[in-house]
Amino acid sequence: MRSDAPASPGGPAAEGATSHLIHRPRSSEHYLLDAPCTGEEHLVLVCRTPLGHPLFNDGPGHFHDTQGAAGMAREVGEFIGHQFFGLPAEQHAVQARLRLRITHLAAWRARPEQADLTVRVRARPTGVPRGVEMRSELSPHDVECATGTASLAFLPPDPPLQYAPPLRPAVPSPEEREGGDAHGAPQRPAAAAEVGRGSPANVVVSEPAEAAPYGRFVTQLLASTYHRVFAAEGGGHLSGMLLLEAMRQTALLGAGRTYGLAPSRATMATSRVLFRARAEPGLPLTRTAVPGPLGRDARQRPSVPVTVTLTQYGRRVAEATSTVLQDF
C-alpha cells in the first residue's frame, strides 16, 4: 500500500527551491496491491518559488514566470508517470499539449522574496502513445491564481525514425523564405527587454525579418548554446522548454511592436500550445507571430491575442494561441 510520503522530483524547474510532491489517495482500498494505478490520482506539490534561477528569475520580475509552471508540469508529470502509472523508467516525458490560464492577476504578481507555492494536481494515464494527463490549480501566497492542463507523452530513449524529418526538403515554407536561412550569415538577436528578459544570453529569437508583411512577425531560433534548462531531449531533439520560450518571446515581441505593450509589465494571461512534431537541431526553425486586435480585459488593461506557429522546412512543429496582457 502506497503512503503519502513526500517526494522531490527535482530538475531545472525546481532549481533554487525545495519541493515535495504529496500523494493524496482517494481511498485506502484502492492501494491494497502494489501495482500500477489505472485511475485518476490526486497529489499536492508544495514548494517555494525559485530565487536566482538563470531563466525563471531573469527579467523585470513583475510576474511569476509562466515558463517555470511549464517546466514544473513536465518534471512532475514524468515523476508521476514512473512512480504511479508504471511507465518504464527509461522513457522520458515530452510535452504534447499545454494550457495555462491566469485567473487572479494580482496574485500572479511576483514578490522580491520567495513565496510558498501550492499546486493541486489530478493526473491520469493515457493510451497510445502512453502518457499522462494532468489538471492543476496553482496557488502562490495561498491564493489560487492560475489553472493549467498538460498532456505528456512518454517516449523511448531512441525515438523511432518517423520523428526525424528529411534533412533538407527542396521547398521551404514562405515564412522560412522570409526569415532567411539559419545556415547563412549570423543573425541579430532581438533586444532582451523586448522579449521580457534581462540577460542577452537568454534571448533565443532573432530580430524579425524585414521582408515579413505588415501584421506578421517572422523570427528565427538563434543558433546558440543554452543553459541546462534548455537541454536537448532524448534523441537529441530540441527541448519543449526551448520551443516554449521561443514562442513566448516572439509573442511578446509582436504585441510590443504592434501595439506598444510593455514587456516588462506583460504576461501570458492565457496560453494554449500544441506540439505536432519533434524539432531537429541544426536545421532552421522559424516562428511566425500574428497579433490580433487590441482589446481590454474587465479592468481595462491592454490585451492582445497572438498566434505563433513554429515551422521547420515546411513541417509544422508547434502552434500556440496566447493572450498577452499588460498590467498597469
Side-chain angles (χ1 to χ4, degrees), residues 159-228:
L161 291 178
Q162 61 261 31
Y163 287 105
L167 287 180
R168 205 172 193 43
V171 181
S173 68
E175 291 84 359
E176 287 159 341
R177 289 196 295 270
E178 293 164 356
D181 193 326
H183 296 287
Q187 296 160 321
R188 186 160 60 98
E194 285 194 279
V195 297
R197 293 301 177 197
S199 170
N202 283 326
V203 177
V204 300
V205 301
S206 69
E207 270 287 310
E210 295 180 1
Y214 177 78
R216 295 169 64 218
F217 292 83
V218 179
T219 65
Q220 292 280 342
L221 185 72
L222 297 175
S224 305
T225 301
Y226 308 109
H227 51 67
R228 74 188 191 95

Side-chain angles (χ1 to χ4, degrees), residues 98-120:
L98 291 172
R99 178 178 293 187
L100 180 68
R101 179 171 178 263
I102 308 302
T103 57
H104 193 314
L105 191 69
W108 191 249
R109 296 183 187 119
R111 299 178 182 178
E113 70 278 3
Q114 281 186 303
D116 294 326
L117 175 64
T118 302
V119 185
R120 291 179 294 279

Side-chain angles (χ1 to χ4, degrees), residues 88-92 154-160 233-237 278:
E90 66 274 12
Q91 293 189 359
H92 63 279
F154 282 67
L155 302 179
D158 297 316
E233 293 175 345
H237 300 284
R278 309 297 299 280

Side-chain angles (χ1 to χ4, degrees), residues 49 61-65 102 104-113 115 140-141 145 265 267 297 299 301 325-328:
T49 56
H62 188 73
F63 290 110
H64 294 292
D65 198 319
I102 308 302
H104 193 314
L105 191 69
W108 191 249
R109 296 183 187 119
R111 299 178 182 178
E113 70 278 3
H141 323 297
C145 67
R265 302 183 71 82
T267 189
D297 73 351
R299 295 181 177 272
R301 290 175 289 224
L325 179 65
Q326 180 187 294
D327 203 4
F328 291 131

Side-chain angles (χ1 to χ4, degrees), residues 285-298:
L285 186 66
T286 301
R287 284 149 313 286
T288 303
V290 182
L294 177 67
R296 301 275 175 173
D297 73 351

Side-chain angles (χ1 to χ4, degrees), residues 20-324:
H20 298 279
L21 186 64
I22 305 170
H23 184 211
R24 297 298 190 194
R26 292 171 296 162
S27 167
S28 59
E29 296 178 358
H30 186 64
Y31 298 98
L32 293 178
L33 298 177
D34 189 12
C37 305
T38 58
E40 185 175 84
E41 294 295 340
H42 293 196
L43 305 101
V44 176
L45 177 68
V46 180
C47 62
R48 307 202 76 193
T49 56
L51 287 178
H53 191 281
L55 181 69
F56 306 146
N57 294 123
D58 178 48
H62 188 73
F63 290 110
H64 294 292
D65 198 319
T66 56
Q67 296 297 78
M72 186 186 304
R74 196 207 66 80
E75 292 172 358
V76 170
E78 184 171 78
F79 180 85
I80 292 172
H82 293 156
Q83 184 77 12
F84 295 100
F85 299 139
L87 297 176
E90 66 274 12
Q91 293 189 359
H92 63 279
V94 297
Q95 293 152 328
R97 291 183 179 84
L98 291 172
R99 178 178 293 187
L100 180 68
R101 179 171 178 263
I102 308 302
T103 57
H104 193 314
L105 191 69
W108 191 249
R109 296 183 187 119
R111 299 178 182 178
E113 70 278 3
Q114 281 186 303
D116 294 326
L117 175 64
T118 302
V119 185
R120 291 179 294 279
V121 180
R122 290 170 290 161
R124 64 181 182 89
T126 58
V128 181
R130 299 181 69 188
V132 173
E133 288 188 357
M134 298 188 300
R135 296 181 179 273
S136 305
E137 293 86 36
L138 288 73
S139 301
H141 323 297
D142 295 322
V143 179
E144 183 177 315
C145 67
T147 61
T149 61
S151 296
L152 306 177
F154 282 67
L155 302 179
D158 297 316
L161 291 178
Q162 61 261 31
Y163 287 105
L167 287 180
R168 205 172 193 43
V171 181
S173 68
E175 291 84 359
E176 287 159 341
R177 289 196 295 270
E178 293 164 356
D181 193 326
H183 296 287
Q187 296 160 321
R188 186 160 60 98
E194 285 194 279
V195 297
R197 293 301 177 197
S199 170
N202 283 326
V203 177
V204 300
V205 301
S206 69
E207 270 287 310
E210 295 180 1
Y214 177 78
R216 295 169 64 218
F217 292 83
V218 179
T219 65
Q220 292 280 342
L221 185 72
L222 297 175
S224 305
T225 301
Y226 308 109
H227 51 67
R228 74 188 191 95
V229 75
F230 292 141
E233 293 175 345
H237 300 284
L238 297 181
S239 74
M241 284 296 295
L242 176 57
L243 302 185
L244 283 170
E245 178 67 9
M247 288 188 283
R248 188 198 68 83
Q249 292 188 13
T250 303
L252 284 178
L253 189 64
R257 293 200 179 181
T258 303
Y259 296 110
L261 268 66
S264 62
R265 302 183 71 82
T267 189
M268 301 300 189
T270 64
S271 185
R272 293 186 297 175
V273 183
L274 173 63
F275 291 92
R276 295 186 176 274
R278 309 297 299 280
E280 305 298 322
L283 294 178
L285 186 66
T286 301
R287 284 149 313 286
T288 303
V290 182
L294 177 67
R296 301 275 175 173
D297 73 351
R299 295 181 177 272
Q300 297 302 303
R301 290 175 289 224
S303 174
V304 179
V306 184
T307 300
V308 180
T309 305
L310 274 69
T311 56
Q312 193 169 51
Y313 269 98
R315 185 182 61 129
R316 184 168 292 192
V317 173
E319 53 196 37
T321 303
S322 304
T323 302
V324 179

